[in-house]
Amino acid sequence: MRRLNVALLAIAVALPAAAADYRSVDVPAAILYDAPSQKAKKLYLIRAQTPVEVVVRLEGWAKVRDAEGTLAWIEAAQLAERRTLIVTEAGAELRASDKADAPVLARFDKWVVLEHVAAAAPGWVQVRHRDGASGMVRATQVWGL
C-alpha cells in the first residue's frame, strides 16, 4: 500500500510538468521535416506566428503538432515563446467581453492568427488581432490553448 501511495504521489507531482507547451513560429517561413535533421525529408512550410505544440525536444530540434494534428520536426531556434492562437472555425467572433451576448467587434476567417493575451472566464480567451482589435473569443473557436 505504501508503494502505491508513493507511486501515486510521483504521478501527481509529474502531471503539471506534462502541461501542453505551445510556441509560435518566429521566422517568416519554417521548413518542417519528418526527422530531426536538415537532411531529412522536407514535409511542408509553416508561416510566421503560427502556433505549434511542442511534444518532444531533441538537441536543437522540436517535434511539434500543428492545428490539424500533423506531427513534424522543426529547428528549435525557429520557435518563440510568444503565444499565438489560430482560428479553427470560420466566422469566429471577437466579442467585447466574455459573454455570449456581448457586442461583436470582429469576425475572423479560419486560419487567422491571433495573439494570446490572457485566459478569461471558463470557455473564453482574451486575444488581440494584428490590426489592433482586442477582445474575447470562445476557446472552442481557436487552437493553441
Side-chain angles (χ1 to χ4, degrees), residues 30-105:
I31 300 171
L32 282 100
Y33 299 88
D34 70 346
S37 168
Q38 289 182 341
K39 294 179 182 178
K41 180 181 176 186
K42 296 175 182 175
L43 300 175
Y44 60 97
L45 291 174
I46 193 166
R47 65 183 173 151
Q49 300 180 9
T50 301
V52 293
E53 178 187 6
V54 176
V55 294
V56 175
R57 291 184 182 276
L58 180 67
E59 298 176 18
W61 289 86
K63 188 171 193 176
V64 297
R65 181 185 340 267
D66 66 17
E68 294 180 303
T70 304
L71 290 169
W73 290 90
I74 186 172
E75 292 181 72
Q78 296 180 337
L79 298 176
E81 289 188 31
R82 180 175 166 211
R83 289 282 301 270
T84 58
L85 306 173
I86 196 159
V87 175
T88 56
E89 183 179 308
E93 297 175 332
L94 180 71
R95 295 193 174 266
S97 71
D98 56 6
K99 305 285 185 247
D101 60 350
V104 175
L105 305 175

